[in-house]
C-alpha cells in the first residue's frame, strides 16, 4: 500500500560513521580550519568529526529542503543566508547523507560565494550511489539500494510522518503491524507515545 524501505539507525552507527569521515580526512592529510554543519542533519556528525580532528571552529548553515519523510521531490535553498570572512581558511562541509546531492551542492556554492574560504571539501556519513548526482569528498558508508534512514535525532519526526502516511491510507487499527509490514522495521518509539505526541501537535483528526 505505502511500502517504503526504512532502516533504523542507532547512536553506535552515528559514532562509527562519523569516525569513518574523520579517519579518511586524517589519512588524506586535509587540514580543516572550519567545519560547516548543514542544519539540521549534519549537526551531530559535524560535532563528532570536529572532536576527532581537533577543530574548534564549528559553524552552521541551514539548508531548507521541501522534503517529507521518504518523499524524494525536493528543492534545496539556504534559509537565513549571511556573509562571513573565513580569511581563506579550509572548510569541511558536513551533512548526514548524500541522497540527491542537492544540499551539498547548494551549500558548497553558498560557502564559496559568501564566506571567503580557501579549499572547500564535503563529507557525509552515508552516500547513496544509486541516487546521488555528486559524490562527497569523504563519506563513511556507501548505500547501493535506496532506503529512508531514521537517524536517532529524527525518530519523532520520521515516525510521525510515517504513521501519518499509514493513517492517510486508511490504517485504523494495529498500527505497529502496519508499520512493520509497510516499512520493514519495528517503530523505534512506542506507537502509543507517537500518537499522543501527534495529538499534542494537533496532527490527528480523530
Ligand atoms: P543531499 O543529497 O545533498 O544530502 P538531499 O536534498 O537529497 O541533499 O537531502 C536533504 C536532507 O534530507 C539530507 O541531508 C537528510 O537530512 C534528508 N534525507 C534525504 N534523503 C534521506 C534518506 N534517504 N534517509 C534519511 N534522510 C534523508
Amino acid at each position: 500500500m505505502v511500502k517504503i524501505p526504512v532502516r533504523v539507525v542507532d547512536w553506535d552507527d552515528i559514532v562509527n560513521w562519523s569516525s569513518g569521515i574523520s579517519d579518511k580526512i586524517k589519512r588524506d592529510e586535509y587540514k580543516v580550519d572550519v567545519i560547516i554543519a548543514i542544519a539540521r542533519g549534519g549537526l551531530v556528525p559535524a560535532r563528532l568529526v570536529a572532536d576527532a580532528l581537533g577543530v574548534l571552529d564549528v559553524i552552521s548553515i541551514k539548508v531548507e529542503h521541501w522534503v517529507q519523510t521518504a518523499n524524494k521531490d525536493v528543492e534545496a535553498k539556504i534559509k537565513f543566508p549571511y556573509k562571513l570572512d573565513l580569511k581563506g581558511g579550509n572548510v569541511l562541509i558536513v551533512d548526514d547523507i548524500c541522497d540527491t546531492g542537492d544540499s551539498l551542492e547548494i551549500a558548497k556554492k553558498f560557502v564559496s560565494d559568501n564566506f571567503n574560504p580557501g579549499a572547500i571539501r564535503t563529507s557525509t556519513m552515508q552516500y547513496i550511489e544509486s541516487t546521488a548526482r555528486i559524490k562527497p569528498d569523504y563519506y563513511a558508508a556507501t548505500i547501493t539500494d535506496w532506503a529512508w534512514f531514521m537517524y536517532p535525532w529524527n525518530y519523532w519526526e520520521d515516525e510521525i510522518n510515517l504513521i501519518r502516511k499509514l493513517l492517510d491510507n486508511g490504517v485504523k487499527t494495529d498500527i505497529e503491524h502496519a508499520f512493520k509490514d509497510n516499512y520493514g522495521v519495528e517503530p523505534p518509539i512506542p506507537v502509543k507515545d507517537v500518537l499522543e505526541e501527534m495529538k499534542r501537535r494537533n496532527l490527528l483528526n480523530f
Side-chain angles (χ1 to χ4, degrees), residues 1-92:
M1 173 184 50
V2 283
K3 286 200 192 290
I4 297 168
V6 174
R7 306 274 177 274
V8 178
V9 171
D10 65 24
W11 285 110
D12 281 348
D13 296 323
I14 300 303
V15 171
N16 290 334
W17 289 330
S18 299
S19 303
I21 294 174
S22 49
D23 287 349
K24 285 186 178 168
I25 291 171
K26 287 178 190 181
R27 241 176 285 145
D28 209 26
E29 298 182 11
Y30 178 54
K31 189 186 154 294
V32 180
D33 296 307
V34 182
I35 287 183
I36 302 182
I38 300 186
R40 296 167 294 161
L43 291 170
V44 176
R47 185 63 188 85
L48 294 171
V49 170
D51 183 36
L53 295 179
V55 174
L56 301 184
D57 293 327
V58 181
I59 61 172
S60 182
I61 53 177
K62 162 107 176 152
V63 175
E64 194 174 40
H65 34 83
W66 297 96
V67 61
Q68 271 209 331
T69 299
N71 277 359
K72 294 205 302 167
D73 280 351
V74 277
E75 205 200 329
K77 64 173 202 275
I78 305 288
K79 194 174 182 185
F80 313 126
Y82 58 100
K83 289 213 177 267
L84 193 63
D85 186 4
L86 295 180
K87 300 186 168 64
N90 287 343
V91 165
L92 180 72

Side-chain angles (χ1 to χ4, degrees), residues 155-174:
Y155 283 169
W156 285 94
E157 187 173 312
D158 284 341
E159 199 169 315
I160 285 171
N161 286 336
L162 290 166
I163 287 178
R164 176 84 263 157
K165 271 187 210 294
L166 295 176
L167 298 177
D168 290 348
N169 278 276
V171 173
K172 289 193 174 60
T173 55
D174 206 351

Side-chain angles (χ1 to χ4, degrees), residues 21 25 35-36 38 49 92-98 104 121-126 136-140:
I21 294 174
I25 291 171
I35 287 183
I36 302 182
I38 300 186
V49 170
L92 180 72
I93 295 176
V94 182
D95 205 355
D96 46 9
I97 189 166
C98 178
L104 282 185
R121 294 194 187 170
T122 57
S123 64
T124 58
M125 299 188 301
Q126 295 169 290
D137 296 300
Y138 306 102
Y139 52 92

Side-chain angles (χ1 to χ4, degrees), residues 65 95-104 146-149 151:
H65 34 83
D95 205 355
D96 46 9
I97 189 166
C98 178
D99 184 333
T100 61
D102 289 352
S103 304
L104 282 185
W146 187 90
W148 184 263
F149 294 89
Y151 299 115

